[in-house]
Amino acid sequence: MARKQARRSPFGFAVPDVPASLDDVFNLHDFESLARERLAPTAYGYYASGAGDERSLADNLASWSRWRLVPRVLAGARHPELTTSLLGASAALPIGVAPAALQGMAHPDGELALARAAARAGAPFVLSTASTRSIEEVGAAAGDTGAPRWFQLYVEHDLAFARELVERAEAAGFGAVVLTVDLPVAGYRERDLRTRFSIPASVQAHLPPDAAGGDDTFVAYLDRKPPLRWQDVATIAGWTSLPLVLKGILSPLDVDRAIQHGARAIWVSNHGGRQLDGTVTAPEVLGEIVDATEGRAEVYADGGVRRGSDVAVALVLGARAVFTARPFLYALAAAGEAGADRAFEIIGDELRRALAILGVVDVAGVRRDHIRPAP
């Protein structure tokens, strides 16, 4: 089938011309084939790729099924309440949009569209440093619904530039800083290397001046990031009154140091399988990390989440919220903001039904006895 792209966004990417019909979209997997037909090959490759042989990419999807849910019956839990609290803010769903770079490749509205859809759903939205829209534009687009809106921070250039971004995010109404800590260098992302993927020079947003254009691949650009150390985490936490989330933790041994250096929440993630191939997945270590916090920090997870039952597994293991990015990017590419609305509708309905069948009346009602490891 011919790829359905006929125009270019203001950022220089080929984008879909006609939105896909959503009549036959019944789960988050359905969006990917629609997106692949419409996206430029370099854009689809960037969104879809993992590191190395992409074993971790596949493991992320499979690892949620390595747990078996244990329903309790006759609980009268027909319409479970999905509302939760994240860092003191109310969220209508414990499912959010993970930070994803360059959303303008999927649709001209990019981050604006996903932020608006998340706000309507009452779901958390995390804006990537590598955004095609500015912090201020996204903050204005999301409005004042009260849904959590956080800013994900890469230290792209130096600490002074990073501090400026944090201060802008706080001024624009973002409610937390999510510091990504698992990217000392870029993973070996072979698809991006083959296409020599790079950021078009027209992308400004809030990337440093050396991020776009030139002869470097995006991987080469990422490798120029300054190194981060634990003392830098404490420094960043001291820049703002906003709570600090550390994203990219996979070892329970890092939990104490994270909390001691200012983290209010731990985000369990292997970066969507894009960093080191063969790492553990979030479901494999989530319970241990929750136990290691001893209630001192909230815990979130991402990686391969596609179903409401995946979210239920994460909640039972102790996560306060679950995030995903690729399905929302694919929904955006397929049908713009309407696609993102449909994605929230689907996974919210799946989760509500899963919790009802588990026999709980709200997200706080899940317990460890609702789960068993698969044989």
Side-chain angles (χ1 to χ4, degrees):
M1 183 181 295
R3 188 166 277 106
K4 299 175 181 176
Q5 58 189 47
R7 58 195 174 101
R8 302 187 78 78
S9 80
F11 311 104
F13 303 110
V15 296
D17 191 33
V18 179
S21 169
L22 300 177
D23 292 345
D24 293 323
V25 173
F26 299 106
N27 59 57
L28 297 193
H29 294 287
D30 288 339
F31 286 111
E32 184 168 2
S33 60
L34 297 175
R36 188 170 191 171
E37 294 171 4
R38 288 162 171 75
L39 287 171
T42 51
Y44 174 77
Y46 176 75
Y47 288 156
S49 64
D53 291 322
E54 300 187 342
R55 290 175 294 144
S56 290
L57 184 66
D59 283 346
N60 280 349
L61 290 164
S63 60
W64 298 104
S65 65
R66 294 175 190 148
W67 293 95
R68 298 288 188 263
L69 293 164
V70 183
R72 301 295 302 275
V73 300
L74 301 175
R78 187 171 177 81
H79 301 290
E81 177 56 60
L82 302 186
T83 301
T84 191
S85 173
L86 304 177
L87 297 173
S90 180
L93 289 173
I95 308 157
V97 180
L102 305 175
Q103 293 173 25
M105 294 192 300
H107 189 274
D109 288 344
E111 293 82 4
L112 305 183
L114 275 189
R116 288 190 292 253
R120 278 192 295 275
F125 172 84
V126 188
L127 176 67
S128 171
T129 291
S131 169
T132 50
R133 295 287 188 161
S134 73
I135 296 168
E136 292 77 13
E137 287 179 292
V138 177
D144 297 319
T145 66
R149 181 171 72 246
W150 302 342
F151 177 68
Q152 176 267 337
L153 178 67
Y154 285 129
V155 179
E156 298 273 4
H157 194 269
D158 54 35
L159 287 177
F161 183 83
R163 181 167 187 166
E164 178 186 331
L165 296 181
V166 168
E167 291 172 349
R168 286 172 57 192
E170 186 168 12
F174 287 76
V177 174
V178 179
L179 176 65
T180 294
V181 295
D182 62 355
L183 210 154
V185 296
Y188 195 83
R189 304 175 191 176
E190 201 165 305
R191 290 201 229 186
D192 292 343
L193 292 170
R194 290 184 187 280
T195 63
R196 291 197 60 81
F197 178 82
S198 62
I199 307 172
S202 56
V203 173
Q204 300 299 319
H206 42 272
L207 292 174
D210 62 346
D215 295 327
D216 276 352
T217 64
F218 192 44
V219 170
Y221 162 69
L222 292 177
D223 283 350
R224 295 201 302 271
K225 289 177 181 293
L228 283 180
R229 296 176 176 84
W230 283 109
Q231 59 263 35
D232 297 317
V233 173
T235 297
I236 292 167
W239 291 343
T240 176
S241 62
L242 298 179
L244 182 67
V245 181
L246 292 196
K247 179 181 181 292
I249 289 180
L250 289 172
S251 172
L253 299 177
D254 283 332
V255 168
D256 275 340
R257 297 185 79 178
I259 295 171
Q260 290 165 8
H261 286 82
R264 292 269 304 279
I266 305 295
W267 188 321
V268 184
S269 172
N270 66 10
H271 212 105
R274 294 164 68 80
Q275 279 298 92
L276 178 62
D277 204 18
T279 60
V280 293
T281 64
E284 292 170 335
V285 296
L286 181 54
E288 294 177 62
I289 287 177
V290 169
D291 291 344
T293 68
E294 298 178 328
R296 295 170 294 165
E298 294 181 4
V299 179
Y300 317 130
D302 71 21
V305 173
R306 296 295 184 274
R307 290 283 188 178
S309 56
D310 300 338
V311 180
V313 167
L315 296 176
V316 172
L317 290 171
R320 180 69 68 92
V322 179
F323 292 81
T324 190
R326 288 183 178 98
F328 289 113
L329 294 173
Y330 297 148
L332 188 64
E337 206 165 318
D341 287 336
R342 178 66 175 143
F344 277 116
E345 178 187 3
I346 289 169
I347 199 163
D349 186 44
E350 286 186 352
L351 176 60
R352 187 172 286 106
R353 292 173 185 276
L355 295 184
I357 295 167
L358 283 177
V360 298
V361 298
D362 56 32
V363 294
V366 295
R367 303 179 305 276
R368 289 282 178 92
D369 59 22
H370 280 116
I371 208 166
R372 297 284 188 277

